[in-house]
Amino acid sequence: MQMNKEERFVNPYNFIPFERKCERSKPEINRNDCYTGYFDCKITLLTPLFIPNTSSDTRLVCESDRKEAAKRSEEDGKNVEEEFKGYDFFSYDDWSGEKAIDDLKEAYPPKEPIIPGSELRGTLRSVYEAAFNGCMSSVSSERILSRRSNDVMKPGILMEKKEQGDKVGKKSGWILKPCKKVGITFRQCSGEYENWKEGQEIWFKPRGRGNICDNYEVIEESTYAEPKEGGKERYERAQWKKEKYFKGWLHKGEPIKGKCHESIFYSPDKARENVLSCDVDALKKLKQEYGTSRYNEYKVDPKGTLVYYNRKGEHIYLSPACIGREIFTKSITDLLEKNGGYMPCTGSGDKLCPACQIFGMLENTGKHVSYSYASKVRITDAKLIQPAVDRDKLFDAPLVLPELGEPKPGCVEFYTESPYELTEEKAHSDKYIENREGYWTYDYKDVGKINHVPLEKNQPKLRGRKFYWHSNPDCKSIREKTGEKLSAMKVRIRPMKKNNQPLFCFRVYFEQLNKQQLQQLKWTLDFEDRNCAHKLGRAKPLGFGSVKIQVDALVLREIDFKTGIWREKVQDIKTFFPNPIWNNKNRTNLKLIADWENKPDNVRYPCVKTAKNANADGGDDAAGYEWFAQNKGKMRFPSFMKVLPKVAEDALKDLESGKALDMLDRK
């Protein structure tokens, strides 16, 4: 494969960098600078929009889909019909009790489509946080950071160690026994492999050459963690030892159709390596991440667990797979805390960031004491300005979305900044490319070919807040590309068509905001820029969900102190906010990625183009992972060839080829 420097693409998302520090303060109300009222707003759909009605996930699943599911279930030996999903557009209709349909034509679109206020609220809060230095309120503190390792790991046996002498039997941490490994050709026809347990005791006789054997004997129901020690077993072991068999234990890998080889670990080394408890905890998390379909029998047993391992610095990375995933010791919350304190405002007492002071927060600690702050903003559901005369004209025909396998936070070349130092010589070099340094993860960076240097607690630095670029989706090309067949990763939806005129209206109620907060809220709605638009709903990477919000009116509620009656007074917005909000670096970047009129070309995820699809629109989505694999360079000595450009760079139409992202061609 090779990079095609003449075919640049723009990744569907980029990041708005953090400022130096997330400033928090105690919320205060100044009665002389306090406003209550609402904004009247309208929404124009610049692209098709889809927001799912989750009352039924099979409303757009029909008889032909069920026949296809039955056929696949018979071929694969498992029920795949339950995986099929088909959502209609959001409305107040409850379709949970509807019967299955025979044809998609029977599923009429909703008469009164709705954009829920919760959807608008989430979008607006994200914009406010980025524009006015709020915390990362929606970040998941429980999210595991991991990535597939470049190294072929070594076999070993993990177990709890015990103290010697007077403290015999007392457990005191974990140790690792390095092992050797040999492949075994098991007898598929006998069905014996299915009855073997993880760690099954197997005695084998190696061949003269190679690392595969097919001459073996088994101690039934005996594993490394639970060995059988009866007279019969002792006799069999003694006989096989005389015949020069080796004692080993079976490690069962992933279940793969047609698989005929597995691994046997044998000859544990007398040397011992101490293992940190956090590394063992990481192995347990990795097992959870793999789920039940992979390594379903695998568990961490204190008496003995077969593992693959690799030491890097003070940590030993453990995995059930020879080339597996590394679970990193740092979390997103750790890095947010060490780089400006942008973790959510939970646990910060009564001091809140600017966003939480307006949109509220709730600290759910699970303890008797928690802290919450009520929202000062309420956003209504967006409804049609005019009732639909012909609802079929509002919607496009149902279509099947392609698989959206986007990169995850483990892809540090997109989600973090390079931890390598920028020397003065490099900074003044026209040929210097930031990403040509090497390879790094959340825990370490490579220096030279084999040295892994641990990163500081505040490294690598996160790029910032994730936002999607605008683009023009083509429903026709999506249909041609995905067809009509559903799968676990392909969902059918009914999108709403784009509209050149305002289609929806909603209100944003606010209470006890000062004038600065009120103007910031208004900026969040319309960016104070006619070219800018928001992103709503599903399928944003494909270009869906670009909407423009127009603020029509500002109405303030005032009390008549003589009569005690509340009165509503319409304000002239230009007079009420005579001076626009100045653009700092973050707001400038945010407006670049929100700019509908000057959106970038060829927005898509990384992919590989082959001879078959060279003339097609787009690339081979199924092989998108290959782009990241090739981008890391050589497996043994990786070095990133490309990193995600900065927002201001990505917005340039003529970005230099060294920094721009390029398609991969498979020759």
Side-chain angles (χ1 to χ4, degrees):
M1 298 190 193
Q2 65 183 34
M3 290 285 181
N4 184 344
K5 295 183 179 180
E6 296 182 357
E7 189 157 2
R8 174 197 173 189
F9 69 92
V10 175
N11 193 60
Y13 63 82
N14 211 305
F15 296 87
I16 308 302
F18 298 116
E19 295 183 26
R20 292 184 178 180
K21 185 179 180 182
C22 181
E23 301 289 350
R24 291 177 171 86
S25 61
K26 188 175 181 178
E28 295 180 356
I29 296 177
N30 181 357
R31 298 299 177 186
N32 296 320
D33 184 18
C34 185
Y35 299 91
T36 297
Y38 58 85
F39 286 109
D40 269 331
C41 306
K42 291 178 182 176
I43 295 177
T44 302
L45 307 189
L46 303 176
T47 65
L49 171 71
F50 177 67
I51 299 171
N53 184 333
T54 55
S55 66
S56 172
D57 60 8
T58 58
R59 177 170 169 78
L60 297 184
V61 178
C62 59
E63 182 62 29
S64 61
D65 299 316
R66 287 188 285 276
K67 289 180 179 178
E68 174 68 20
K71 180 180 177 182
R72 286 174 51 192
S73 297
E74 185 177 351
E75 293 174 352
D76 299 342
K78 62 179 182 179
N79 185 9
V80 298
E81 186 175 357
E82 297 176 359
E83 301 173 352
F84 287 0
K85 308 291 183 185
Y87 294 96
D88 216 321
F89 197 90
F90 187 86
S91 67
Y92 294 147
D93 299 305
D94 182 3
W95 288 317
S96 58
E98 280 201 346
K99 295 181 180 179
I101 57 174
D102 294 327
D103 192 283
L104 281 177
K105 295 179 181 179
E106 299 175 19
Y108 297 104
K111 187 176 182 181
E112 298 181 14
I114 300 291
I115 301 177
S118 57
E119 185 76 28
L120 290 165
R121 181 185 180 87
T123 296
L124 294 174
R125 176 162 189 159
S126 296
V127 172
Y128 190 98
E129 289 176 357
F132 302 107
N133 203 29
C135 70
M136 290 280 286
S137 64
S138 60
V139 72
S140 173
S141 60
E142 302 299 324
R143 187 162 195 172
I144 297 172
L145 292 175
S146 68
R147 184 166 190 156
R148 184 179 175 86
S149 173
N150 291 305
D151 304 310
V152 177
M153 293 181 161
K154 296 173 285 189
I157 297 175
L158 175 72
M159 60 191 304
E160 277 190 326
K161 66 178 179 180
K162 299 180 180 179
E163 294 284 359
Q164 301 296 321
D166 296 336
K167 297 182 179 179
V168 172
K170 183 177 180 181
K171 297 171 183 176
S172 60
W174 296 82
I175 58 171
L176 184 71
K177 298 179 180 181
C179 292
K180 296 179 181 179
K181 184 178 76 168
V182 67
I184 179 175
T185 304
F186 53 84
R187 306 172 188 119
Q188 289 181 310
C189 57
S190 65
E192 60 181 351
Y193 176 73
E194 285 71 21
N195 297 323
W196 290 346
K197 297 180 180 179
E198 167 67 21
Q200 178 71 54
E201 183 181 344
I202 295 179
W203 287 73
F204 67 96
K205 181 178 287 189
R207 293 178 182 173
R209 291 184 178 182
N211 59 352
I212 301 293
C213 70
D214 51 15
N215 189 358
Y216 61 87
E217 302 292 343
V218 179
I219 300 288
E220 298 294 341
E221 300 295 320
S222 179
T223 66
Y224 186 89
E226 298 291 340
K228 293 186 74 174
E229 300 293 351
K232 175 185 175 183
E233 287 74 30
R234 283 199 299 270
Y235 174 77
E236 290 178 337
R237 292 184 182 108
Q239 291 297 110
W240 295 331
K241 196 170 184 180
K242 287 180 181 179
E243 297 177 24
K244 297 184 179 181
Y245 277 75
F246 287 84
K247 182 180 181 180
W249 300 274
L250 175 77
H251 174 51
K252 302 180 77 170
E254 295 183 57
I256 301 174
K257 191 174 182 180
K259 192 174 188 178
C260 57
H261 292 97
E262 274 298 3
S263 296
I264 296 179
F265 292 11
Y266 70 104
S267 296
D269 202 312
K270 292 182 179 180
R272 303 287 188 267
E273 293 195 52
N274 290 322
V275 182
L276 299 175
S277 296
C278 61
D279 294 336
V280 179
D281 292 338
L283 175 61
K284 295 175 182 177
K285 292 177 182 178
L286 182 59
K287 171 61 172 70
Q288 294 175 359
E289 191 166 274
Y290 278 138
T292 57
S293 60
R294 303 164 67 185
Y295 304 101
N296 54 345
E297 295 181 23
Y298 196 83
K299 66 177 181 179
V300 180
D301 194 321
K303 297 179 182 179
T305 306
L306 305 184
V307 296
Y308 287 99
Y309 73 96
N310 196 356
R311 178 179 285 279
K312 294 179 180 178
E314 64 176 344
H315 292 285
I316 296 181
Y317 294 90
L318 305 168
S319 172
C322 183
I323 304 179
R325 301 189 71 82
E326 293 177 344
I327 297 287
F328 302 121
T329 59
K330 293 174 184 172
S331 67
I332 295 291
T333 304
D334 294 334
L335 292 171
L336 289 173
E337 185 176 0
K338 298 297 181 183
N339 288 277
Y342 282 92
M343 60 284 183
C345 281
T346 57
S348 57
D350 57 354
K351 290 187 177 181
L352 303 177
C353 73
C356 288
Q357 291 192 30
I358 291 181
F359 290 91
M361 56 79 66
L362 173 64
E363 177 188 9
N364 185 12
T365 62
K367 302 177 182 178
H368 295 296
V369 179
S370 62
Y371 182 76
S372 63
Y373 189 77
S375 174
K376 293 184 176 182
V377 172
R378 179 171 65 87
I379 302 173
T380 68
D381 293 344
K383 301 181 179 180
L384 293 175
I385 298 173
Q386 297 290 337
V389 177
D390 185 355
R391 52 182 165 175
D392 287 329
K393 291 183 178 180
L394 286 176
F395 295 94
D396 211 324
L399 73 136
V400 177
L401 293 178
E403 299 176 13
L404 298 177
E406 65 170 291
K408 301 298 189 292
C411 291
V412 291
E413 64 270 40
F414 275 31
Y415 276 77
T416 69
E417 297 180 7
S418 170
Y420 295 92
E421 292 183 5
L422 178 62
T423 63
E424 186 174 349
E425 179 183 357
K426 292 176 180 177
H428 292 86
S429 172
D430 295 334
K431 297 182 179 179
Y432 170 68
I433 303 172
E434 183 182 6
N435 51 297
R436 293 286 185 179
E437 306 287 0
Y439 175 82
W440 72 91
T441 69
Y442 285 96
D443 283 352
Y444 60 85
K445 63 180 178 181
D446 286 358
V447 178
K449 290 188 175 181
I450 58 174
N451 294 325
H452 306 292
V453 177
L455 293 176
E456 300 293 333
K457 291 183 179 180
N458 63 340
Q459 290 184 319
K461 187 177 179 182
L462 298 174
R463 279 183 171 266
R465 310 169 198 271
K466 187 176 181 180
F467 283 86
Y468 285 91
W469 292 102
H470 295 295
S471 61
N472 282 312
D474 186 348
C475 292
K476 181 180 179 181
S477 65
I478 291 176
R479 285 193 179 88
E480 292 174 352
K481 190 174 183 179
T482 60
E484 293 298 325
K485 291 185 178 181
L486 295 174
S487 71
M489 299 293 289
K490 293 181 180 180
V491 179
R492 183 178 288 126
I493 67 167
R494 190 199 307 272
M496 181 172 281
K497 294 179 181 178
K498 65 179 182 180
N499 198 300
N500 295 325
Q501 299 297 324
L503 189 63
F504 290 92
C505 61
F506 69 100
R507 277 185 178 177
V508 179
Y509 288 94
F510 54 86
E511 183 179 7
Q512 296 182 335
L513 297 183
N514 61 43
K515 196 165 188 177
Q516 181 184 18
Q517 291 173 324
L518 191 56
Q519 187 172 8
Q520 290 174 347
L521 180 60
K522 193 260 181 185
W523 190 100
T524 302
L525 289 164
D526 64 5
F527 298 94
E528 291 184 353
D529 191 325
R530 293 182 179 179
N531 288 345
C532 292
H534 292 275
K535 295 281 282 187
L536 288 175
R538 298 274 186 95
K540 289 190 280 287
L542 298 175
F544 285 68
S546 294
V547 303
K548 184 171 289 187
I549 297 178
Q550 171 185 326
V551 178
D552 278 352
L554 167 61
V555 179
L556 297 181
R557 191 179 68 170
E558 300 176 352
I559 189 171
D560 187 326
F561 289 100
K562 293 182 179 179
T563 63
I565 298 175
W566 287 102
R567 302 185 186 278
E568 293 184 350
K569 186 176 180 180
V570 179
Q571 306 292 315
D572 182 275
I573 295 179
K574 292 183 178 180
T575 303
F576 194 81
F577 302 122
N579 301 313
I581 292 177
W582 59 277
N583 287 329
N584 63 3
K585 186 176 180 180
N586 277 18
R587 288 189 281 276
T588 299
N589 283 326
L590 188 57
K591 290 173 75 170
L592 281 174
I593 204 167
D595 192 337
W596 166 258
E597 300 300 331
N598 298 290
K599 53 188 175 292
D601 300 324
N602 197 17
V603 175
R604 60 160 303 119
Y605 281 123
C607 70
V608 176
K609 280 204 166 186
T610 65
K612 292 181 180 180
N613 62 30
N615 298 320
D617 180 22
D620 185 357
D621 287 323
Y625 71 92
E626 290 188 41
W627 190 96
F628 287 95
Q630 294 293 326
N631 188 53
K632 287 194 296 184
K634 296 180 180 180
M635 187 164 181
R636 287 192 64 193
F637 310 122
S639 180
F640 293 128
M641 292 188 289
K642 297 284 185 178
V643 297
L644 187 69
K646 295 179 173 61
V647 170
E649 296 171 339
D650 239 356
L652 297 174
K653 302 291 184 181
D654 56 349
L655 178 63
E656 59 187 274
S657 61
K659 291 184 176 181
L661 299 177
D662 304 317
M663 293 287 192
L664 267 179
D665 283 342
R666 184 188 290 124
K667 300 296 184 181

